[in-house]
Amino acid sequence: MFVIYFSGMKIAILGGRFDPPHLGHLKIAEEVLINRSDIDKLLFIPVYKHPWTRVIASSKDRIAMLRSILSDKTDVSDIEIKNKTVRTIDSLKILKKELDADLYWIVGSDILQELHRWKNPEKLTHFATFLVFPRPGFPMPSKLPSGFEKIETPSMVDISSTKIRSLLKNKKPIKGLVPREVEEYIIEHKLYE
């Protein structure tokens, strides 16, 4: 169980569909770990379902692709899939209880405009500090809400899983958009055709 493993640690969480995981996801993880050297571990947490958009690949495939690209300070958790949680607040409550750690939830600057759509947005920072990284086309505000901290990094590479799936569907190359291991997994398992 995670509790013993993570008790007292500082854990950053990067949630998403990871459908498929791409180099943009890895860059975010890398930048967070560089900018916040006090963070002990970063967890990739694939969603069970997304409240507004469809997930294409199975949970098993998305977890396998993430596992193929882990580094020393990263890991994958199936906590949202196992608990069938859809909303961030519900996942944070479970994570806080199970991990017994200081939590840092990673979001892009684009999310700041959407927070009002989230369930109980005013309670989110009771469970985690939110780390905000810049997204192209979504300038970082000069002042962030309480409980939100800026990740000082140049604007991130604009790669989307939607674009990758479209390229695959049209039998076009995805080299340079996903890690080699993910590309090999997609080809071997005939995903997104």
Side-chain angles (χ1 to χ4, degrees):
M1 169 104 330
F2 276 146
V3 175
I4 295 165
Y5 184 58
F6 292 120
S7 183
M9 293 175 77
K10 291 187 176 184
I11 308 297
I13 298 154
L14 182 57
R17 286 180 291 162
F18 303 111
D19 196 16
H22 53 66
L23 292 174
H25 296 130
L26 286 181
K27 182 69 175 162
I28 292 164
E30 178 184 295
E31 289 293 329
V32 167
L33 291 170
I34 288 170
N35 280 274
R36 290 297 305 264
S37 58
D38 58 321
I39 289 177
D40 300 296
K41 200 76 155 168
L42 184 140
L43 288 180
F44 292 103
I45 300 186
V47 298
Y48 165 63
K49 285 184 184 176
H50 193 281
W52 307 306
T53 54
R54 192 170 147 240
V55 177
I56 310 297
S58 71
S59 299
K60 178 184 163 212
D61 287 327
R62 291 180 294 129
I63 288 171
M65 287 187 279
L66 283 166
R67 287 202 190 287
S68 76
I69 57 172
L70 294 178
S71 66
D72 288 344
K73 288 187 82 172
T74 62
D75 206 343
V76 180
S77 170
D78 66 352
I79 201 159
E80 287 198 359
I81 294 162
K82 181 177 67 179
N83 289 286
K84 296 184 165 106
T85 54
V86 177
R87 300 299 194 155
T88 302
I89 190 77
D90 300 325
S91 299
L92 278 171
K93 287 176 184 176
I94 294 166
L95 286 162
K96 193 69 176 167
K97 183 178 175 186
E98 287 195 14
L99 299 184
D100 187 32
D102 291 334
L103 302 179
Y104 297 82
W105 196 275
I106 303 165
V107 295
S109 55
D110 55 321
I111 294 301
L112 296 174
Q113 300 173 11
E114 294 184 1
L115 275 178
H116 66 281
R117 295 174 66 188
W118 290 28
K119 180 181 173 185
N120 302 121
E122 71 287 352
K123 295 182 180 173
L124 292 170
T125 56
H126 295 206
F127 300 96
T129 299
F130 279 66
L131 302 179
V132 185
F133 64 89
R135 290 286 306 266
F138 298 92
M140 192 75 75
S142 56
K143 187 170 173 21
L144 290 171
S146 178
F148 286 71
E149 296 176 11
K150 182 179 178 181
I151 294 293
E152 297 288 345
T153 181
S155 192
M156 301 303 287
V157 181
D158 196 14
I159 300 175
S160 81
S161 296
T162 304
K163 178 183 177 181
I164 293 165
R165 290 192 307 270
S166 176
L167 289 169
L168 288 163
K169 186 176 181 183
N170 293 300
K171 306 215 181 303
K172 295 194 174 172
I174 58 169
K175 190 175 181 80
L177 299 175
V178 298
R180 179 185 48 79
E181 299 88 345
V182 170
E183 184 176 9
E184 288 170 0
Y185 187 95
I186 289 169
I187 293 165
E188 181 184 342
H189 293 86
K190 298 179 171 51
L191 300 181
Y192 311 114
E193 290 184 354

